[in-house]
Amino acid sequence: MEQDPEVPARVREVIAAAGVTQREFARRIVMDPSKLSRSLGGTRRFTAAELARIADTADVDAAWLLGTRGGARGGAAPPARPPPPGGGGGVEGPPRDSTDPNRQESGGVMVL
C-alpha cells in the first residue's frame, strides 16, 4: 500500500507541536534519527509501528497521521486522540480514603 505523501508533513507538524528537535523526537519514539530524517524527506516510508509510536508519543489520532480521517490542514493543530471508551482520564473508581487499611507509605511515596 502506498503511503500518503502528506504523512511526512503531518509528522513534521507533530514534531513542531512537541517543540523539540527531530533528533530528540526520534529518541522519544525509539527511532534512529537518520531513519526519521529519510522518512520525513520521502526517501523512506514510515512503518506502521513507527506511526503508532508517533501517535502515542504525541497523543494524536493515528488515522489523522495516515490521512484516513479528516483533521488538521494548513497549519492547524493535529487532532488529539479520542478519549478511551468509558471516558475519563484513566482514573477509575473513587480516591482511596486516608484511613484505608491497605495504604502504606514507603520513602515518602504512598503505596496503595
Coordinates of all heavy atoms in Angstrom, one line a residue:
M1 N 0.8 -1.2 0.0 CA 0.0 0.0 0.0 C 0.9 1.2 0.0 O 1.8 1.3 0.8 CB -0.9 0.0 1.2 CG -1.8 1.1 1.3 SD -3.0 0.9 2.6 CE -3.2 2.5 3.2
E2 N 0.6 2.2 -0.8 CA 1.3 3.4 -1.0 C 1.0 4.3 0.2 O -0.1 4.5 0.7 CB 0.9 4.1 -2.3 CG 1.8 5.3 -2.7 CD 3.1 4.9 -3.3 OE1 3.2 3.7 -3.7 OE2 4.0 5.7 -3.3
Q3 N 2.1 5.0 0.7 CA 1.9 5.9 1.8 C 1.5 7.2 1.3 O 2.0 7.7 0.3 CB 3.2 6.0 2.6 CG 3.1 6.9 3.8 CD 4.4 6.8 4.7 OE1 4.5 5.8 5.4 NE2 5.2 7.8 4.6
D4 N 0.5 7.8 1.9 CA 0.0 9.2 1.6 C 1.2 10.1 1.6 O 1.9 10.2 2.6 CB -1.0 9.6 2.6 CG -1.7 10.9 2.4 OD1 -1.1 11.8 1.7 OD2 -2.8 11.2 2.9
P5 N 1.4 10.9 0.6 CA 2.6 11.8 0.6 C 2.5 12.9 1.6 O 3.4 13.6 1.9 CB 2.5 12.4 -0.8 CG 1.2 12.1 -1.4 CD 0.7 10.9 -0.7
E6 N 1.3 13.1 2.2 CA 1.1 14.1 3.3 C 1.5 13.6 4.7 O 1.6 14.3 5.6 CB -0.3 14.5 3.3 CG -0.8 15.3 2.1 CD 0.0 16.7 2.0 OE1 0.1 17.4 3.0 OE2 0.5 16.9 0.9
V7 N 1.8 12.3 4.8 CA 2.2 11.7 6.1 C 3.4 12.4 6.6 O 3.4 12.8 7.8 CB 2.4 10.2 6.0 CG1 3.0 9.6 7.3 CG2 1.0 9.5 5.8
P8 N 4.5 12.6 5.9 CA 5.7 13.3 6.4 C 5.4 14.7 6.9 O 5.9 15.1 7.9 CB 6.7 13.3 5.3 CG 6.3 12.1 4.4 CD 4.8 12.0 4.5
A9 N 4.5 15.4 6.1 CA 4.1 16.7 6.5 C 3.4 16.7 7.9 O 3.6 17.6 8.7 CB 3.2 17.4 5.5
R10 N 2.5 15.7 8.1 CA 1.8 15.6 9.3 C 2.7 15.3 10.5 O 2.6 15.8 11.6 CB 0.7 14.6 9.2 CG -0.5 15.1 8.3 CD -1.8 14.3 8.5 NE -2.0 13.2 7.6 CZ -2.2 13.3 6.3 NH1 -2.0 14.5 5.7 NH2 -2.5 12.3 5.6
V11 N 3.7 14.4 10.2 CA 4.7 14.1 11.3 C 5.5 15.3 11.6 O 5.8 15.6 12.8 CB 5.6 12.9 10.8 CG1 6.7 12.7 11.8 CG2 4.7 11.6 10.7
R12 N 5.9 16.1 10.6 CA 6.6 17.4 10.8 C 5.8 18.3 11.7 O 6.3 19.0 12.6 CB 6.9 18.1 9.5 CG 8.1 17.5 8.8 CD 8.4 18.4 7.5 NE 9.3 17.7 6.7 CZ 10.6 17.6 6.9 NH1 11.2 18.2 7.9 NH2 11.4 17.0 6.0
E13 N 4.4 18.4 11.5 CA 3.5 19.2 12.3 C 3.6 18.7 13.8 O 3.7 19.5 14.7 CB 2.1 19.0 11.9 CG 1.6 20.1 10.9 CD 0.1 20.0 10.7 OE1 -0.7 20.3 11.6 OE2 -0.2 19.5 9.6
V14 N 3.6 17.4 13.9 CA 3.6 16.8 15.3 C 4.9 17.2 16.0 O 4.9 17.5 17.2 CB 3.4 15.3 15.2 CG1 3.8 14.6 16.5 CG2 2.0 14.9 14.8
I15 N 6.0 17.1 15.3 CA 7.4 17.4 15.9 C 7.4 18.8 16.2 O 7.9 19.2 17.3 CB 8.5 17.0 14.9 CG1 8.5 15.5 14.7 CG2 9.8 17.5 15.4 CD1 9.5 15.0 13.6
A16 N 6.9 19.7 15.4 CA 6.9 21.1 15.7 C 6.0 21.4 16.9 O 6.4 22.2 17.7 CB 6.4 21.9 14.4
A17 N 4.9 20.8 17.0 CA 4.0 21.0 18.1 C 4.6 20.5 19.4 O 4.4 21.1 20.5 CB 2.7 20.3 17.9
A18 N 5.5 19.5 19.3 CA 6.2 19.0 20.5 C 7.2 19.9 21.0 O 7.7 19.9 22.1 CB 6.8 17.6 20.2
G19 N 7.7 20.8 20.1 CA 8.7 21.8 20.4 C 10.1 21.2 20.7 O 10.8 21.8 21.5
V20 N 10.4 20.2 20.0 CA 11.7 19.5 20.2 C 12.4 19.4 18.8 O 11.7 19.5 17.8 CB 11.6 18.1 20.9 CG1 11.0 18.3 22.3 CG2 10.8 17.2 20.1
T21 N 13.6 19.0 18.8 CA 14.4 18.8 17.6 C 13.9 17.4 17.0 O 13.4 16.6 17.7 CB 15.9 18.7 17.8 OG1 16.2 17.7 18.7 CG2 16.4 20.1 18.4
Q22 N 14.3 17.2 15.7 CA 14.0 15.9 15.1 C 14.8 14.8 15.9 O 14.2 13.7 16.1 CB 14.4 15.9 13.7 CG 13.5 16.6 12.7 CD 13.9 16.5 11.3 OE1 14.6 15.5 10.9 NE2 13.5 17.4 10.5
R23 N 16.0 15.1 16.2 CA 16.8 14.1 17.0 C 16.2 13.7 18.3 O 16.1 12.5 18.6 CB 18.2 14.7 17.2 CG 19.1 13.7 17.9 CD 20.6 14.2 18.0 NE 21.2 14.3 16.7 CZ 21.7 13.3 16.0 NH1 21.7 12.1 16.5 NH2 22.3 13.5 14.8
E24 N 15.7 14.7 19.0 CA 15.0 14.4 20.3 C 13.7 13.7 20.1 O 13.4 12.7 20.8 CB 14.8 15.7 21.1 CG 13.9 15.6 22.3 CD 14.5 14.6 23.4 OE1 15.7 14.3 23.4 OE2 13.7 14.1 24.2
F25 N 13.0 14.0 19.1 CA 11.7 13.3 18.8 C 12.0 11.9 18.4 O 11.3 11.0 18.9 CB 10.9 14.0 17.7 CG 9.5 13.6 17.7 CD1 8.5 14.0 18.6 CD2 9.1 12.6 16.8 CE1 7.2 13.6 18.6 CE2 7.7 12.2 16.7 CZ 6.8 12.7 17.6
A26 N 13.1 11.7 17.6 CA 13.4 10.3 17.2 C 13.8 9.5 18.5 O 13.4 8.3 18.6 CB 14.6 10.4 16.3
R27 N 14.5 10.1 19.4 CA 14.8 9.4 20.7 C 13.5 9.0 21.4 O 13.4 7.9 21.9 CB 15.7 10.3 21.6 CG 16.2 9.6 22.8 CD 16.8 10.6 23.8 NE 15.8 11.5 24.4 CZ 14.9 11.1 25.3 NH1 14.8 9.9 25.8 NH2 14.0 12.0 25.8
R28 N 12.6 9.9 21.5 CA 11.3 9.7 22.2 C 10.5 8.5 21.6 O 9.8 7.8 22.3 CB 10.5 10.9 22.2 CG 11.0 12.0 23.1 CD 10.1 13.2 23.2 NE 10.7 14.3 23.9 CZ 10.1 15.4 24.2 NH1 8.9 15.7 23.8 NH2 10.7 16.3 25.0
I29 N 10.6 8.4 20.3 CA 9.8 7.3 19.6 C 10.7 6.1 19.3 O 10.2 5.2 18.6 CB 9.1 7.8 18.3 CG1 10.2 8.3 17.3 CG2 8.1 8.9 18.6 CD1 9.6 8.5 15.9
V30 N 11.9 6.1 19.9 CA 12.8 5.0 19.7 C 13.0 4.6 18.3 O 12.8 3.5 17.8 CB 12.3 3.7 20.5 CG1 13.4 2.7 20.6 CG2 11.9 4.1 21.9
M31 N 13.5 5.7 17.5 CA 13.8 5.5 16.1 C 15.1 6.1 15.8 O 15.5 7.2 16.4 CB 12.7 6.2 15.3 CG 12.7 6.1 13.8 SD 11.3 7.0 13.1 CE 11.6 6.6 11.4
D32 N 15.9 5.5 14.9 CA 17.2 6.1 14.5 C 16.9 7.4 13.9 O 16.1 7.5 13.0 CB 17.8 5.1 13.6 CG 19.2 5.6 13.2 OD1 20.2 5.3 13.9 OD2 19.3 6.3 12.2
P33 N 17.6 8.5 14.3 CA 17.4 9.8 13.7 C 17.6 9.9 12.2 O 16.9 10.6 11.5 CB 18.5 10.7 14.4 CG 18.8 10.0 15.7 CD 18.6 8.5 15.4
S34 N 18.5 9.0 11.6 CA 18.6 9.1 10.2 C 17.4 8.5 9.5 O 17.0 8.9 8.4 CB 19.9 8.3 9.8 OG 19.8 7.0 10.1
K35 N 16.8 7.5 10.1 CA 15.6 6.9 9.5 C 14.4 7.9 9.6 O 13.7 8.1 8.6 CB 15.1 5.6 10.3 CG 16.0 4.4 10.0 CD 15.4 3.2 10.7 CE 16.2 2.0 10.4 NZ 15.6 0.8 11.1
L36 N 14.3 8.7 10.7 CA 13.3 9.7 10.8 C 13.5 10.8 9.7 O 12.6 11.2 9.0 CB 13.3 10.3 12.2 CG 12.3 11.5 12.3 CD1 10.9 11.1 12.1 CD2 12.5 12.1 13.7
S37 N 14.8 11.2 9.5 CA 15.1 12.2 8.5 C 14.8 11.7 7.1 O 14.2 12.4 6.3 CB 16.6 12.5 8.6 OG 17.0 13.5 7.6
R38 N 15.1 10.4 6.8 CA 14.8 9.9 5.5 C 13.3 9.7 5.3 O 12.8 10.0 4.2 CB 15.5 8.5 5.3 CG 17.0 8.7 5.1 CD 17.7 7.4 4.6 NE 17.3 6.2 5.2 CZ 17.9 5.6 6.3 NH1 18.9 6.2 6.8 NH2 17.4 4.5 6.7
S39 N 12.6 9.4 6.3 CA 11.1 9.2 6.2 C 10.5 10.6 6.0 O 9.5 10.7 5.2 CB 10.6 8.6 7.5 OG 11.1 7.3 7.6
L40 N 11.0 11.6 6.7 CA 10.4 13.0 6.6 C 10.8 13.5 5.2 O 10.0 14.3 4.6 CB 11.0 13.9 7.7 CG 10.5 13.6 9.1 CD1 11.2 14.5 10.1 CD2 9.0 13.9 9.2
G41 N 11.9 13.1 4.6 CA 12.3 13.6 3.3 C 11.7 12.8 2.2 O 11.8 13.2 1.0
G42 N 10.9 11.7 2.5 CA 10.2 11.0 1.5 C 11.0 9.9 0.8 O 10.5 9.2 -0.1
T43 N 12.2 9.6 1.2 CA 13.0 8.6 0.6 C 12.8 7.2 1.3 O 13.4 6.2 0.9 CB 14.5 8.9 0.6 OG1 15.0 9.1 1.9 CG2 14.8 10.1 -0.3
R44 N 12.1 7.3 2.4 CA 11.8 6.0 3.2 C 10.4 6.2 3.7 O 10.0 7.3 4.1 CB 12.8 5.9 4.3 CG 12.5 4.8 5.2 CD 13.5 4.8 6.5 NE 13.3 3.7 7.4 CZ 12.3 3.7 8.3 NH1 11.5 4.7 8.5 NH2 12.1 2.6 9.0
R45 N 9.6 5.1 3.7 CA 8.3 5.1 4.3 C 8.3 4.8 5.8 O 9.1 4.0 6.2 CB 7.4 4.1 3.6 CG 7.1 4.5 2.2 CD 6.1 3.6 1.5 NE 6.2 2.2 1.9 CZ 5.3 1.3 1.7 NH1 4.2 1.6 1.1 NH2 5.5 0.0 2.0
F46 N 7.4 5.5 6.5 CA 7.3 5.1 8.0 C 6.6 3.8 8.0 O 5.7 3.4 7.3 CB 6.4 6.1 8.7 CG 7.0 7.5 8.9 CD1 6.7 8.6 8.1 CD2 7.8 7.7 10.0 CE1 7.3 9.8 8.3 CE2 8.4 8.9 10.2 CZ 8.1 10.0 9.4
T47 N 7.1 3.0 9.0 CA 6.4 1.7 9.3 C 5.2 1.9 10.1 O 5.0 3.0 10.7 CB 7.3 0.7 10.0 OG1 7.5 1.2 11.3 CG2 8.6 0.5 9.3
A48 N 4.3 0.9 10.1 CA 3.1 1.1 10.9 C 3.4 1.2 12.4 O 2.8 2.0 13.1 CB 2.2 -0.2 10.7
A49 N 4.5 0.5 12.9 CA 4.9 0.6 14.3 C 5.4 2.0 14.6 O 5.1 2.5 15.7 CB 6.0 -0.5 14.6
E50 N 6.2 2.6 13.6 CA 6.7 3.9 13.9 C 5.6 4.9 14.0 O 5.6 5.8 14.8 CB 7.7 4.3 12.7 CG 9.0 3.5 12.8 CD 9.8 3.6 11.5 OE1 9.3 4.1 10.5 OE2 10.9 3.1 11.5
L51 N 4.6 4.8 13.1 CA 3.5 5.7 13.1 C 2.7 5.6 14.4 O 2.2 6.6 14.9 CB 2.6 5.6 11.9 CG 3.2 6.1 10.6 CD1 2.4 5.6 9.3 CD2 3.4 7.6 10.6
A52 N 2.5 4.3 14.8 CA 1.8 4.1 16.1 C 2.6 4.8 17.3 O 1.9 5.4 18.1 CB 1.7 2.6 16.3
R53 N 3.9 4.6 17.3 CA 4.7 5.3 18.4 C 4.6 6.8 18.3 O 4.5 7.5 19.3 CB 6.1 4.8 18.3 CG 6.3 3.4 18.8 CD 7.7 3.0 19.1 NE 8.7 3.3 18.0 CZ 9.0 2.4 17.1 NH1 8.5 1.2 17.1 NH2 9.9 2.7 16.1
I54 N 4.6 7.3 17.1 CA 4.5 8.8 16.9 C 3.1 9.3 17.4 O 3.1 10.2 18.2 CB 4.7 9.2 15.4 CG1 6.1 8.9 15.0 CG2 4.2 10.6 15.2 CD1 6.3 9.0 13.5
A55 N 2.1 8.6 17.0 CA 0.7 8.9 17.5 C 0.6 8.8 19.0 O 0.1 9.7 19.7 CB -0.3 8.1 16.8
D56 N 1.2 7.8 19.6 CA 1.1 7.6 21.0 C 1.9 8.6 21.8 O 1.5 9.2 22.7 CB 1.7 6.2 21.4 CG 1.4 5.8 22.8 OD1 0.3 6.0 23.3 OD2 2.4 5.4 23.5
T57 N 3.1 8.9 21.3 CA 4.0 9.9 21.9 C 3.4 11.3 21.9 O 3.5 12.0 22.9 CB 5.4 9.8 21.3 OG1 6.0 8.5 21.5 CG2 6.4 10.9 21.9
A58 N 2.9 11.6 20.7 CA 2.4 13.0 20.5 C 0.9 13.1 20.9 O 0.4 14.2 20.9 CB 2.5 13.4 19.1
D59 N 0.3 12.0 21.3 CA -1.1 12.0 21.7 C -2.0 12.5 20.6 O -2.9 13.4 20.8 CB -1.4 12.7 23.0 CG -2.7 12.4 23.7 OD1 -3.2 11.2 23.4 OD2 -3.2 13.2 24.4
V60 N -1.8 12.0 19.4 CA -2.6 12.4 18.2 C -3.3 11.2 17.7 O -2.9 10.0 17.9 CB -1.8 13.1 17.1 CG1 -1.3 14.5 17.6 CG2 -0.8 12.3 16.5
D61 N -4.3 11.4 16.9 CA -5.0 10.3 16.3 C -4.2 9.7 15.1 O -3.8 10.4 14.2 CB -6.4 10.8 15.7 CG -7.3 9.8 15.2 OD1 -7.3 8.7 15.8 OD2 -7.9 10.0 14.2
A62 N -4.0 8.4 15.2 CA -3.2 7.7 14.2 C -3.8 7.7 12.8 O -3.2 7.8 11.8 CB -2.9 6.2 14.6
A63 N -5.2 7.7 12.8 CA -5.9 7.8 11.5 C -5.6 9.2 10.8 O -5.5 9.2 9.6 CB -7.4 7.6 11.7
W64 N -5.5 10.2 11.6 CA -5.1 11.5 11.1 C -3.7 11.5 10.5 O -3.5 12.0 9.4 CB -5.2 12.6 12.1 CG -4.7 13.9 11.7 CD1 -5.4 14.8 10.8 CD2 -3.4 14.5 11.9 NE1 -4.5 15.9 10.6 CE2 -3.4 15.7 11.2 CE3 -2.3 14.1 12.7 CZ2 -2.2 16.5 11.3 CZ3 -1.2 14.9 12.7 CH2 -1.2 16.1 12.0
L65 N -2.8 10.9 11.2 CA -1.4 10.8 10.7 C -1.4 10.1 9.3 O -0.7 10.4 8.4 CB -0.5 10.0 11.6 CG 0.2 10.7 12.7 CD1 1.0 9.7 13.6 CD2 1.0 11.8 12.3
L66 N -2.2 9.0 9.2 CA -2.3 8.2 7.9 C -3.1 8.9 6.8 O -3.1 8.5 5.7 CB -2.9 6.9 8.2 CG -2.0 5.9 9.0 CD1 -2.8 4.7 9.5 CD2 -0.8 5.5 8.3
G67 N -3.8 10.0 7.2 CA -4.7 10.7 6.2 C -6.0 10.0 5.9 O -6.6 10.2 4.9
T68 N -6.4 9.0 6.8 CA -7.6 8.3 6.6 C -8.8 9.0 7.3 O -9.9 8.5 7.2 CB -7.5 6.9 7.1 OG1 -7.2 6.8 8.5 CG2 -6.5 6.1 6.3
R69 N -8.6 10.0 8.1 CA -9.6 10.7 8.8 C -9.3 12.2 8.7 O -8.2 12.6 8.8 CB -9.6 10.3 10.3 CG -10.8 10.9 11.0 CD -10.8 10.5 12.5 NE -11.0 9.1 12.6 CZ -10.7 8.4 13.7 NH1 -10.3 9.0 14.8 NH2 -10.9 7.1 13.7
G70 N -10.4 12.9 8.5 CA -10.3 14.4 8.4 C -9.6 15.0 9.6 O -9.7 14.4 10.7
G71 N -8.9 16.1 9.4 CA -8.3 16.6 10.6 C -7.6 17.9 10.2 O -8.0 18.7 9.4
A72 N -6.4 18.1 10.8 CA -5.7 19.4 10.6 C -5.2 19.5 9.2 O -4.8 18.6 8.6 CB -4.5 19.4 11.6
R73 N -5.3 20.7 8.7 CA -4.7 21.1 7.4 C -4.3 22.5 7.5 O -4.9 23.3 8.3 CB -5.7 20.9 6.3 CG -6.0 19.5 6.0 CD -6.1 19.3 4.5 NE -6.4 17.9 4.2 CZ -5.5 17.1 3.7 NH1 -4.3 17.5 3.4 NH2 -5.8 15.8 3.5
G74 N -3.4 22.9 6.8 CA -3.0 24.3 6.7 C -2.5 24.9 8.0 O -2.8 26.0 8.3
G75 N -1.7 24.1 8.8 CA -1.1 24.6 10.0 C -1.9 24.5 11.2 O -1.5 24.9 12.3
A76 N -3.1 23.9 11.1 CA -3.9 23.7 12.3 C -3.3 22.6 13.2 O -2.6 21.8 12.7 CB -5.4 23.4 11.9
A77 N -3.6 22.7 14.4 CA -3.0 21.7 15.3 C -3.6 20.3 15.0 O -4.8 20.2 14.7 CB -3.4 22.1 16.8
P78 N -2.8 19.3 15.2 CA -3.3 17.9 14.9 C -4.3 17.5 16.0 O -4.3 18.0 17.1 CB -2.0 17.0 15.1 CG -0.9 17.9 15.4 CD -1.4 19.3 15.5
P79 N -5.3 16.8 15.6 CA -6.4 16.4 16.5 C -5.9 15.5 17.6 O -5.1 14.6 17.3 CB -7.4 15.7 15.6 CG -6.6 15.2 14.4 CD -5.5 16.2 14.2
A80 N -6.3 15.7 18.8 CA -6.0 14.8 19.9 C -6.7 13.5 19.7 O -7.7 13.4 19.1 CB -6.4 15.4 21.2
R81 N -6.1 12.5 20.3 CA -6.6 11.1 20.2 C -7.9 11.2 21.0 O -8.0 11.8 22.0 CB -5.7 10.1 20.8 CG -6.0 8.7 20.7 CD -5.0 7.8 21.2 NE -3.7 8.3 21.1 CZ -2.7 8.0 21.9 NH1 -2.9 7.2 22.9 NH2 -1.5 8.5 21.8
P82 N -9.0 10.4 20.5 CA -10.2 10.4 21.3 C -10.0 9.7 22.6 O -9.2 8.9 22.8 CB -11.2 9.6 20.4 CG -10.3 8.9 19.4 CD -9.0 9.6 19.3
P83 N -10.9 10.1 23.6 CA -10.7 9.5 25.0 C -11.0 8.0 24.9 O -11.8 7.6 24.0 CB -11.7 10.2 25.8 CG -12.7 10.9 24.9 CD -12.0 11.1 23.6
P84 N -10.5 7.2 25.8 CA -10.8 5.8 25.8 C -12.2 5.5 26.1 O -12.9 6.4 26.7 CB -9.9 5.3 27.0 CG -9.6 6.5 27.8 CD -9.7 7.7 26.9
P85 N -12.7 4.4 25.7 CA -14.1 4.0 26.0 C -14.4 4.1 27.5 O -13.5 3.8 28.3 CB -14.3 2.6 25.5 CG -13.1 2.4 24.5 CD -12.1 3.3 25.0
G86 N -15.6 4.6 27.8 CA -15.9 4.8 29.2 C -15.5 6.1 29.8 O -15.7 6.5 30.9
G87 N -14.8 6.9 28.9 CA -14.5 8.3 29.2 C -13.4 8.3 30.3 O -12.8 7.3 30.7
G88 N -13.2 9.5 30.8 CA -12.3 9.7 32.0 C -10.9 9.7 31.5 O -10.5 9.4 30.4
G89 N -10.0 10.2 32.4 CA -8.6 10.3 32.1 C -7.8 9.2 32.7 O -6.7 9.5 33.2
G90 N -8.3 8.0 32.7 CA -7.5 6.9 33.2 C -7.7 6.7 34.7 O -7.1 5.8 35.3
V91 N -8.5 7.5 35.4 CA -8.7 7.3 36.8 C -10.0 6.5 37.0 O -11.0 6.9 36.5 CB -8.8 8.7 37.5 CG1 -9.1 8.5 39.0 CG2 -7.6 9.5 37.3
E92 N -9.8 5.4 37.7 CA -11.0 4.5 37.8 C -11.4 4.4 39.3 O -10.5 4.3 40.2 CB -10.7 3.1 37.3 CG -10.5 3.2 35.8 CD -10.3 1.8 35.2 OE1 -10.6 0.8 35.9 OE2 -9.8 1.7 34.1
G93 N -12.6 4.6 39.6 CA -13.1 4.5 41.0 C -12.8 5.7 41.8 O -12.1 6.6 41.4
P94 N -13.4 5.7 43.0 CA -13.2 6.9 43.9 C -11.8 6.8 44.5 O -11.2 5.8 44.6 CB -14.3 6.7 45.0 CG -14.5 5.2 45.0 CD -14.3 4.7 43.6
P95 N -11.3 8.0 44.9 CA -10.0 8.0 45.5 C -10.0 7.3 46.8 O -11.0 7.2 47.5 CB -9.7 9.5 45.7 CG -11.0 10.2 45.6 CD -11.9 9.3 44.8
R96 N -8.9 6.7 47.2 CA -8.8 5.9 48.4 C -8.8 6.9 49.6 O -8.2 7.9 49.6 CB -7.6 5.1 48.5 CG -7.7 3.9 47.5 CD -6.7 2.9 47.8 NE -7.0 1.7 47.0 CZ -6.6 0.5 47.4 NH1 -6.0 0.3 48.5 NH2 -6.9 -0.5 46.7
D97 N -9.5 6.5 50.6 CA -9.5 7.3 51.9 C -8.2 7.2 52.6 O -7.6 6.1 52.6 CB -10.7 6.8 52.7 CG -10.9 7.7 53.9 OD1 -11.6 8.7 53.8 OD2 -10.3 7.3 55.0
S98 N -7.8 8.2 53.3 CA -6.5 8.1 54.0 C -6.6 7.1 55.2 O -5.5 6.8 55.7 CB -6.1 9.5 54.5 OG -7.1 10.0 55.5
T99 N -7.8 6.7 55.5 CA -7.9 5.7 56.6 C -7.9 4.3 56.0 O -8.1 3.3 56.8 CB -9.2 5.9 57.4 OG1 -10.3 5.8 56.6 CG2 -9.1 7.3 58.1
D100 N -7.7 4.1 54.8 CA -7.7 2.8 54.1 C -6.6 1.9 54.8 O -5.4 2.3 54.8 CB -7.3 3.0 52.6 CG -7.5 1.7 51.8 OD1 -7.3 0.6 52.4 OD2 -7.8 1.8 50.6
P101 N -7.0 0.8 55.3 CA -6.1 -0.1 55.9 C -5.0 -0.7 55.0 O -4.0 -1.2 55.5 CB -6.9 -1.2 56.5 CG -8.2 -1.2 55.7 CD -8.4 0.2 55.2
N102 N -5.2 -0.6 53.7 CA -4.2 -1.1 52.7 C -3.2 -0.1 52.3 O -2.3 -0.4 51.6 CB -4.9 -1.7 51.5 CG -5.8 -2.8 51.8 OD1 -5.5 -3.7 52.6 ND2 -7.0 -2.9 51.2
R103 N -3.3 1.1 52.8 CA -2.4 2.2 52.5 C -1.1 2.1 53.3 O -1.2 1.9 54.5 CB -3.1 3.5 52.7 CG -2.3 4.7 52.3 CD -3.0 6.0 52.6 NE -2.0 7.0 52.7 CZ -2.2 8.1 53.4 NH1 -3.4 8.4 53.9 NH2 -1.3 9.0 53.4
Q104 N 0.0 2.2 52.6 CA 1.3 2.2 53.2 C 2.1 3.3 52.7 O 1.9 3.8 51.6 CB 2.0 0.9 53.0 CG 1.3 -0.3 53.4 CD 2.1 -1.6 52.9 OE1 3.1 -1.5 52.3 NE2 1.5 -2.7 53.1
E105 N 3.0 3.9 53.4 CA 4.0 4.9 53.0 C 5.3 4.3 52.9 O 5.8 3.5 53.8 CB 3.9 6.1 53.9 CG 2.6 6.7 53.9 CD 2.6 8.2 53.8 OE1 3.7 8.8 53.6 OE2 1.6 8.8 53.9
S106 N 6.0 4.5 51.8 CA 7.4 4.0 51.6 C 8.3 5.1 51.1 O 8.1 5.5 49.9 CB 7.3 2.8 50.6 OG 8.6 2.4 50.3
G107 N 9.2 5.6 51.9 CA 10.1 6.6 51.4 C 9.4 7.9 50.9 O 9.9 8.4 49.9
G108 N 8.4 8.3 51.5 CA 7.7 9.5 51.1 C 6.7 9.2 49.9 O 6.0 10.1 49.5
V109 N 6.6 8.0 49.4 CA 5.8 7.7 48.3 C 4.6 6.8 48.9 O 4.9 5.8 49.5 CB 6.5 6.9 47.2 CG1 5.6 6.5 46.1 CG2 7.6 7.8 46.7
M110 N 3.4 7.2 48.6 CA 2.3 6.4 49.1 C 2.2 5.1 48.2 O 2.1 5.2 47.0 CB 1.0 7.2 49.0 CG -0.1 6.5 49.6 SD -1.7 7.4 49.7 CE -1.5 8.9 49.0
V111 N 2.1 4.0 48.8 CA 1.9 2.7 48.1 C 0.5 2.2 48.4 O 0.2 2.0 49.6 CB 3.0 1.7 48.5 CG1 2.8 0.4 47.8 CG2 4.3 2.3 48.3
L112 N -0.3 2.0 47.4 CA -1.7 1.5 47.6 C -1.8 0.1 47.2 O -1.2 -0.4 46.3 CB -2.7 2.4 46.9 CG -2.7 3.9 47.3 CD1 -3.7 4.6 46.4 CD2 -3.1 4.0 48.8

